[in-house]
Amino acid sequence: MNGKIYGYIRVSTKDQNEDRQIIALQEFSPPIHKTYIDKVSGKDFQRPEYQKMLRILKPGDLLVVKSIDRLGRNYKDILEQWRILTKQKNVHIVVLDIPLLDTRRENDLIGTLISDIVLQLLSYVAETERDNIRQRQAEGIAAAKARGVKFGRPRKPVPQEFPAVKHLWTSGKINSREAARRLSVAQDTFLRWAHNEATTPTQT
């Protein structure tokens, strides 16, 4: 193989650690020329580093990833990108966790068929796992809400001065902006308090 070797790494968030992927790619032989790292979701391929790498890849180059879900998590998109890389750009791909997914070894029809079957199966598994994670998160949130857990920022308590300030506002002596300033809150917050008849000031 005469082309250059590139690595691609992806983690879903900036807080996740990419060290395992980096170590795996560093152990690949021959050495990788350049590695691109994205810290975004794998729901699609509109990722800055991936797109930059895609523009640089030339026929005969090799792309190395640790696992198929690092490439992406959408079943159809993974298959489409695999086709673009291997058929349109004539780039080889190696998935380190799955030795069968090494397009350098597709020297015959059987090898190509096995590789295609494994790719489709793993792409499906990657997307299914993504859907399962989303479902588990939704179920966890629903269960937490059922237990009375509150999500989002807590609402600001209504201060003791609110009734007096509201009276000045309703009598037309001050406007809502001035009322909000006196209570050190946003104008929207004051108006929400003012129009919520059930709201009572916090007692100390």
Side-chain angles (χ1 to χ4, degrees), residues 37-172:
I37 302 177
D38 273 315
K39 295 188 176 185
V40 293
S41 167
K43 64 179 182 179
D44 58 45
F45 283 84
Q46 297 308 311
R47 314 171 204 145
E49 291 301 304
Y50 181 85
Q51 291 298 323
K52 186 186 299 182
M53 178 188 71
L54 197 60
R55 291 192 293 270
I56 290 174
L57 287 169
K58 300 290 189 299
D61 287 345
L62 173 64
L63 173 60
V64 183
V65 295
K66 186 178 188 303
S67 58
I68 195 67
D69 64 338
R70 296 306 89 197
L71 188 61
R73 285 192 175 276
N74 183 287
Y75 173 63
K76 291 181 180 178
D77 285 351
I78 293 174
L79 295 179
E80 174 62 12
Q81 286 299 312
W82 191 278
R83 185 191 65 79
I84 290 172
L85 290 166
T86 60
K87 306 302 181 184
Q88 289 188 5
K89 299 186 75 71
N90 292 316
V91 171
H92 288 293
I93 305 176
V94 169
V95 179
L96 297 177
D97 285 356
I98 310 293
L100 282 174
L101 290 180
D102 182 347
T103 62
R104 297 173 302 175
R105 301 179 180 179
E106 293 179 358
N107 297 322
D108 53 46
L109 183 60
I110 297 299
T112 301
L113 179 61
I114 292 175
S115 179
D116 286 347
I117 292 173
V118 172
L119 171 64
Q120 292 192 43
L121 176 60
L122 292 175
S123 299
Y124 174 77
V125 170
E127 182 174 15
T128 300
E129 176 59 19
R130 175 169 165 262
D131 292 340
N132 288 340
I133 290 172
R134 189 186 298 116
Q135 181 177 348
R136 287 195 295 268
Q137 288 174 337
E139 290 172 349
I141 292 172
K145 285 183 176 178
R147 295 194 305 270
V149 176
K150 303 289 186 181
F151 291 90
R153 295 173 60 184
R155 289 196 168 187
K156 192 178 183 71
V158 180
Q160 293 290 330
E161 300 85 356
F162 172 71
V165 174
K166 180 183 178 183
H167 177 72
L168 292 174
W169 172 70
T170 55
S171 62

Side-chain angles (χ1 to χ4, degrees), residues 11-28:
V11 290
S12 297
T13 68
K14 293 181 179 179
D15 296 331
Q16 288 186 336
N17 194 312
E18 65 272 22
D19 287 352
R20 287 192 305 112
Q21 296 180 67
I22 291 175
I23 292 172
L25 266 59
Q26 286 176 340
E27 293 176 349
F28 184 79

